[in-house]
Amino acid sequence: MAVDIAYGGICGSDLHYWQHGRNGSFEVKEPLVLGHEVVGRVRELGEGVTGWRVGDAMAIHPATPFPEPGASPLGMHLTQGGTYLGSASTMPHTQGGLVEVLHVQARQLLRLPKGLDLRTAALAEPLAIALHGIDRAAGRIEGARCFVSGAGPIGLLAAAVLKLRGAV
């Protein structure tokens, strides 16, 4: 599927790649387009794709959700053989979403609620990261004093969600 990218956030990993040429052990060894916090509108449906229409607003899941058959899990959302937009973890590198038109698998698209503007929707991926971390502490947040280290988008969203969930 082809997606017209409307907005994209800049993640800490993007900054590491840009400033240092690496993110952890992943070194940039060829030109790399950054970005994995992207949203936009369907430009063109792929062959056999159903359930979507040209112009539909959506966010993109940056990880390839289903790598090659037989691949083994490496973590919570990454698997051997999987890819992640804007990452030097593969060779050739997996190009990112800070482009005008991005081609992705239909199963990477996440429908946005009606009325949610695309600029705000660009926070979907960092919000998902914050929610994942907070959900791991489910049942222990209401009334708890919580500390969030870092005031970037994920940290600020985590603080907001903690407050909504009853942290003091």
Side-chain angles (χ1 to χ4, degrees):
M1 292 188 62
V3 176
D4 287 322
I5 299 300
Y7 292 98
I10 297 175
C11 182
S13 62
D14 297 323
L15 292 175
H16 285 291
Y17 280 131
W18 177 66
Q19 290 178 324
H20 308 292
R22 68 182 320 107
N23 181 34
S25 62
F26 303 131
E27 182 180 355
V28 177
K29 297 181 180 176
E30 63 181 22
L32 175 64
V33 174
L34 298 174
H36 57 266
E37 301 175 0
V38 293
V39 296
R41 295 192 179 277
V42 174
R43 175 188 188 106
E44 182 180 305
L45 299 175
E47 187 175 324
V49 172
T50 60
W52 290 94
R53 295 186 332 217
V54 171
D56 282 348
M58 49 80 230
I60 297 173
H61 189 299
T64 303
F66 302 102
E68 296 300 316
S72 61
L74 292 177
M76 295 301 288
H77 68 280
L78 298 177
T79 56
Q80 185 176 4
T83 60
Y84 204 84
L85 293 176
S87 175
S89 66
T90 57
M91 193 57 149
H93 298 334
T94 303
Q95 300 303 315
L98 295 178
V99 294
E100 289 183 27
V101 178
L102 182 65
H103 294 271
V104 294
Q105 298 173 33
R107 57 189 169 202
Q108 286 178 265
L109 302 186
L110 303 164
R111 192 173 311 280
L112 295 175
K114 297 277 187 219
L116 178 63
D117 69 282
L118 289 173
R119 186 172 181 190
T120 301
L123 292 170
E125 196 273 348
L127 176 60
I129 300 301
L131 287 168
H132 174 72
I134 292 166
D135 286 348
R136 294 184 72 177
R140 299 179 303 199
I141 294 178
E142 190 170 342
R145 294 183 66 181
C146 299
F147 174 77
V148 176
S149 177
I154 295 171
L156 293 173
L157 290 164
V161 171
L162 286 166
K163 183 173 174 91
L164 287 170
R165 297 220 176 139
V168 293

